[in-house]
Amino acid sequence: AQSVTQLDSQVPVFEEAPVELRCNYSSSVSVYLFWYVQYPNQGLQLLLKYLSGSTLVESINGFEAEFNKSQTSFHLRKPSVHISDTAEYFCAVSVRDNDMRFGAGTRLTVKP
Amino acid sequence: DAGITQSPRHKVTETGTPVTLRCHQTENHRYMYWYRQDPGHGLRLIHYSYGVKDTDKGEVSDGYSVSRSKTEDFLLTLESATSSQTSVYFCASRDSGNYEQFFGPGTRLTVL
């Protein structure tokens, strides 16, 4: 079965600094990749997804992720973070319907 | 946002008692899911449904059962709750042909 590893459990950064949240996956077949964000006491919200096509995908609030097949990675980046980006971020991988595997999560804390 | 609600939002129960959690969606989505979220594990799939009366097991299904008698409702039952089932439970749903899952706000369950 596929699996997901998020390499950092916590990432503290200062406001307006760049950030990268790392995600690696393992799978012997083609995958669909996702980043979800969870704000405190809320459910998960989709941030962005890679299904096919361009390997660089972007969200509406400035995050981007690049699918790297050779490195089996899908790292999430933002060039300048805001306080409001403080949340937990989950990488997820799916190889077929109804089988989505999540990473353990990365808690991003943006400090003023 | 997809209209997904969960009830109750919080519950404290004792070991050995039965517990039922309810998920209700108003989007007429075909697929529904139950996950549990635990520190260090991300989200893990318990059971899912691909239609009324059609359900299947996920990664961590032992000790849980589900039922779906209507498109909009998906129930998760712990027949005899154990302390290891203390967790935050999330329901999600998605439409056919769309890989994005929409999540409910979660239910925090404590088994004493």
Side-chain angles (χ1 to χ4, degrees):
Chain A
Q2 70 275 24
S3 65
V4 181
T5 301
Q6 292 184 242
L7 297 156
D8 307 291
S9 60
Q10 297 187 58
V11 174
V13 294
F14 287 105
E15 194 172 19
E16 298 183 7
V19 71
E20 179 179 76
L21 308 184
R22 296 178 293 169
C23 173
N24 285 94
Y25 68 91
S26 65
S27 173
S28 58
V29 298
S30 297
V31 297
Y32 303 119
L33 295 160
F34 307 82
W35 276 101
Y36 281 84
V37 58
Q38 184 181 32
Y39 299 104
N41 299 313
Q42 295 185 26
L44 278 69
Q45 303 171 33
L46 182 69
L47 191 59
L48 45 75
K49 63 187 176 187
Y50 170 79
L51 302 181
S52 64
S54 173
T55 57
L56 184 65
V57 290
E58 299 176 352
S59 73
I60 58 173
N61 58 352
F63 282 94
E64 64 179 30
E66 186 162 19
F67 168 52
N68 187 322
K69 188 174 181 179
S70 63
Q71 301 289 326
T72 61
S73 67
F74 192 55
H75 301 332
L76 181 70
R77 291 186 279 263
K78 189 170 185 180
S80 176
V81 293
H82 303 289
I83 298 288
S84 60
D85 292 323
T86 294
E88 188 147 22
Y89 293 79
F90 292 93
C91 182
V93 60
S94 179
V95 299
R96 59 181 176 85
D97 278 353
N98 305 313
D99 189 10
M100 183 174 286
R101 302 297 176 104
F102 288 82
T106 297
R107 186 172 299 279
L108 174 65
T109 302
V110 181
K111 301 179 286 186
Chain B
D1 287 345
I4 302 181
T5 56
Q6 294 183 230
S7 59
R9 294 293 313 280
H10 302 271
K11 186 169 182 66
V12 179
T13 190
E14 294 187 350
T15 298
T17 60
V19 176
T20 295
L21 308 183
R22 179 176 182 247
C23 177
H24 180 78
Q25 54 107 352
T26 58
E27 301 298 316
N28 201 36
H29 285 169
R30 176 182 176 186
Y31 297 95
M32 296 186 75
Y33 305 85
W34 275 108
Y35 293 92
R36 60 178 290 173
Q37 182 180 27
D38 303 290
H41 290 278
L43 275 75
R44 291 178 291 175
L45 182 65
I46 304 171
H47 281 281
Y48 67 93
S49 169
Y50 48 96
V52 173
K53 293 184 168 44
D54 292 323
T55 65
D56 206 347
K57 296 179 179 180
E59 184 185 2
V60 290
S61 59
D62 287 349
Y64 302 95
S65 62
V66 291
S67 65
R68 193 169 179 201
S69 59
K70 297 186 289 186
T71 297
E72 56 265 36
D73 291 326
F74 193 32
L75 304 181
L76 176 70
T77 298
L78 291 66
E79 300 290 349
S80 177
T82 67
S83 59
S84 65
Q85 294 176 311
T86 292
S87 187
V88 180
Y89 291 85
F90 286 97
C91 175
S93 72
R94 72 173 177 92
D95 204 357
S96 300
N98 185 349
Y99 287 93
E100 178 180 358
Q101 294 186 21
F102 295 89
F103 284 81
T107 294
R108 184 173 296 276
L109 176 68
T110 302
V111 183
L112 302 175

